[in-house]
């Protein structure tokens, strides 16, 4: 499996965030899907991607998140799919509206290697791995940078991923819960519509 995230340049990361924002705006303002034009070669690599929308006014909050670590689509399509998923009502209970767009900070995580693990505590490396937890129709995921930003232990990181999936803390230890670790590079706007930075831990 190619290491798509590792091949990206900082310019690719910036363009990935710009594409995600454009896809959110096109969907929210016009109810339409962003049409992909000519793209740099990196965007034709088959890989997964996630998009997060964070509200920056007031106390700040997660406004939407969506994506997949699957390698079924090329990166451009995966980013558009994730952006639309993050902006619609299925993400955080209500769809993003046009008045919110200038208050949202967009970030993307572009997936690299993916590991299905039977021993998350041994295989998980904080700062390197994102976590996806799945049981039946319940699923949740967290970016690789999140545990370091919040000073979480491995167990707390896994528990938080379970809570995001609607599962009880500790559900990651159950045999019927699937835990997937994914490497990824995270790029985020410093401010809404602002300059893009790569988050490094």
């Amino acid at each position: 499996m190619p290491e798509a995230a590792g091949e990206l340049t900082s310019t690719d990361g910036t363009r990935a965030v710009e594409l995600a924002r454009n896809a959110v705006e096109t969907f929210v303002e016009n109810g339409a899907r962003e049409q992909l034009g000519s793209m740099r070669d990196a965007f034709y690599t088959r890989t997964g991607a996630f998009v997060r929308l964070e509200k920056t006014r007031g106390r700040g909050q997660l406004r939407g998140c969506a994506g997949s670590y699957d390698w079924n689509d090329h990166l451009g399509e995966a980013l558009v799919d994730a952006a639309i998923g993050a902006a619609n009502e299925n993400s955080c209970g209500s769809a993003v509206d046009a008045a919110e767009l200038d208050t949202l900070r967009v970030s993307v995580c572009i997936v690299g290697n993916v590991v299905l693990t039977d021993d998350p505590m041994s295989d998980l490396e904080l700062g390197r791995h994102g976590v996806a937890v799945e049981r039946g129709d319940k699923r949740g995921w967290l970016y690789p940078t999140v545990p370091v930003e919040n000073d979480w232990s491995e167990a707390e990181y896994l528990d938080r991923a379970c809570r995001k999936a609607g599962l009880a803390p500790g559900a990651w230890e159950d045999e019927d819960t699937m835990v997937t670790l994914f490497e990824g590079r995270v790029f985020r706007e410093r401010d809404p519509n602002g300059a893009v930075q790569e988050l490094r831990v």
Side-chain angles (χ1 to χ4, degrees):
M1 194 175 283
E3 297 187 21
E7 298 169 359
L8 295 170
T9 65
S10 58
T11 298
D12 293 329
T14 296
R15 292 188 176 179
V17 174
E18 291 171 348
L19 174 58
R21 174 168 283 280
N22 289 342
V24 168
E25 292 176 349
T26 299
F27 175 72
V28 170
E29 295 176 339
N30 304 313
R33 181 180 179 84
E34 178 76 4
Q35 297 300 306
L36 298 174
S38 176
M39 298 183 295
R40 292 167 62 90
D41 289 347
F43 288 82
Y44 291 100
T45 302
R46 292 193 178 276
T47 188
F50 298 91
V51 171
R52 283 170 52 99
L53 308 176
E54 300 169 279
K55 202 163 188 176
T56 57
R57 289 188 181 166
R59 297 173 59 188
Q61 66 182 38
L62 179 64
R63 189 60 185 86
C65 57
S68 173
Y69 53 81
D70 291 335
W71 294 60
N72 296 327
D73 292 321
H74 62 65
L75 176 58
E77 294 290 353
L79 285 166
V80 172
D81 287 343
I84 291 173
N88 72 29
E89 67 274 8
N90 295 325
S91 179
C92 285
S94 63
V96 171
D97 63 49
E100 296 180 85
L101 291 173
D102 289 338
T103 73
L104 297 179
R105 182 167 59 186
V106 177
S107 68
V108 304
C109 178
I110 300 167
V111 175
N113 291 330
V114 176
V115 178
L116 182 62
T117 176
D118 292 325
D119 190 359
M121 284 292 284
S122 295
D123 295 337
L124 173 60
E125 184 178 331
L126 295 178
R128 178 181 180 186
H129 290 123
V131 169
V133 176
E134 182 176 350
R135 183 196 291 173
D137 61 352
K138 294 184 176 182
R139 56 186 64 185
W141 54 266
L142 291 170
Y143 274 11
T145 52
V146 169
V148 178
E149 292 168 348
N150 291 281
D151 196 26
W152 293 343
S153 66
E154 289 86 347
E156 187 171 8
Y157 185 27
L158 291 161
D159 284 346
R160 295 275 184 158
C162 289
R163 287 174 57 186
K164 191 170 180 187
L167 300 171
W172 53 271
E173 299 183 85
D174 299 340
E175 289 187 1
D176 56 350
T177 300
M178 184 171 71
V179 179
T180 303
L181 307 178
F182 60 90
E183 297 176 32
R185 292 174 63 185
V186 178
F187 298 89
R188 183 178 71 185
E189 295 173 336
R190 293 179 184 271
D191 299 295
N193 264 317
V196 174
Q197 64 182 127
E198 181 171 3
L199 301 185
R200 298 182 181 275
V201 293

